[in-house]
Amino acid sequence: MTNTKHDSRLLMRRLHASDQKEICEHFIRLDAGTRRSRFCGSINDAEIAKYAAKIFDNDSIICGAFFDGILRGIVELRGSFHSWPRVTEAAFSVEKDWQNIGIGDALFDQIFARAQNRGIRTIQMLCLRENSRMRHLAAKHNATLQFDEDGVQAVLHPHWPTPVSVATEFRGEAIGFLHLMFGWRKLGAR
């Protein structure tokens, strides 16, 4: 599997409250290093369950990467959608065995298009200094990286919506709707 981003078994879609069980299971499957990277510190299963239960409380947009019907990666876009200029924070997690095969890029494309379509002017991504994967993903997408002694802040400034950003979101929403209506297996037979 060299380029999962275009693998027909990979489904990218927006997540909803009905996905909270899968979200919690995804976070619990994260190994200790990935959990530390995602949550910027140690977190146990009980704290993960609390976090997952409240994940939609802050006006968040969350997209997931499903591979063969199992949620393997998540990106959250959290922040102030009701103020101007609009500033949000993006947070990524991809299970260890599913890293370095394009899932982070695919999640980035989905969330960046959604931010762009909502007039978001700044996306911030915070990570620990040792999180080289997140720094690489941010730099790959032309983020400005600001280092301090503990971490790195990546800052992106999306442009206004474009036909491509609208199409990316529309495609994700349509596929997500079909997935919810008819299930993963029927979509896999494209």
Side-chain angles (χ1 to χ4, degrees), residues 30-64:
L30 297 177
D31 66 288
T34 306
R35 274 190 194 192
R36 178 174 157 68
S37 291
R38 167 56 186 83
F39 294 101
C40 291
S42 298
I43 183 169
N44 64 37
D45 289 354
E47 292 169 314
I48 283 178
K50 286 180 192 173
Y51 182 87
K54 296 181 178 189
I55 201 165
F56 292 99
D57 288 357
N58 296 319
D59 197 25
S60 296
I61 297 171
I62 304 164
C63 293

Side-chain angles (χ1 to χ4, degrees), residues 119-177:
I120 302 300
R121 303 313 309 147
T122 303
I123 300 173
Q124 299 172 340
M125 298 183 288
L126 305 172
C127 69
L128 299 172
R129 277 183 90 90
E130 70 257 21
N131 191 345
S132 60
R133 286 186 176 102
M134 192 65 223
R135 288 194 337 256
H136 175 74
L137 180 66
K140 188 177 182 178
H141 293 281
N142 302 314
T144 301
L145 301 178
Q146 301 166 350
F147 293 81
D148 66 28
E149 65 183 55
D150 296 324
V152 179
Q153 179 179 14
V155 179
L156 296 128
H157 298 286
H159 299 289
W160 292 106
T162 65
V164 171
S165 69
V166 172
T168 298
E169 182 172 353
F170 179 78
R171 181 180 186 278
E173 293 294 326
I175 289 172
F177 176 76

Side-chain angles (χ1 to χ4, degrees), residues 10 14 17 24 26-27 37 39-40 46 57 59 66 71 85-86 88 92 97 101 111 123 131 139 169-170 179:
L10 178 66
R14 186 169 178 177
C24 186
H26 161 72
F27 285 143
S37 291
F39 294 101
C40 291
D57 288 357
D59 197 25
F66 291 81
L71 184 60
R86 295 178 178 172
T88 62
F92 292 77
D97 291 343
I101 57 174
I111 210 66
I123 300 173
N131 191 345
E169 182 172 353
F170 179 78
H179 174 261

Side-chain angles (χ1 to χ4, degrees), residues 85-129:
R86 295 178 178 172
V87 176
T88 62
E89 180 184 350
F92 292 77
S93 60
V94 177
E95 294 171 24
K96 184 174 181 153
D97 291 343
W98 298 89
Q99 294 175 3
N100 296 323
I101 57 174
I103 289 176
D105 279 324
L107 287 168
F108 187 93
D109 292 346
Q110 289 296 313
I111 210 66
F112 195 81
R114 283 167 170 77
Q116 196 172 352
N117 294 342
R118 284 157 183 79
I120 302 300
R121 303 313 309 147
T122 303
I123 300 173
Q124 299 172 340
M125 298 183 288
L126 305 172
C127 69
L128 299 172
R129 277 183 90 90

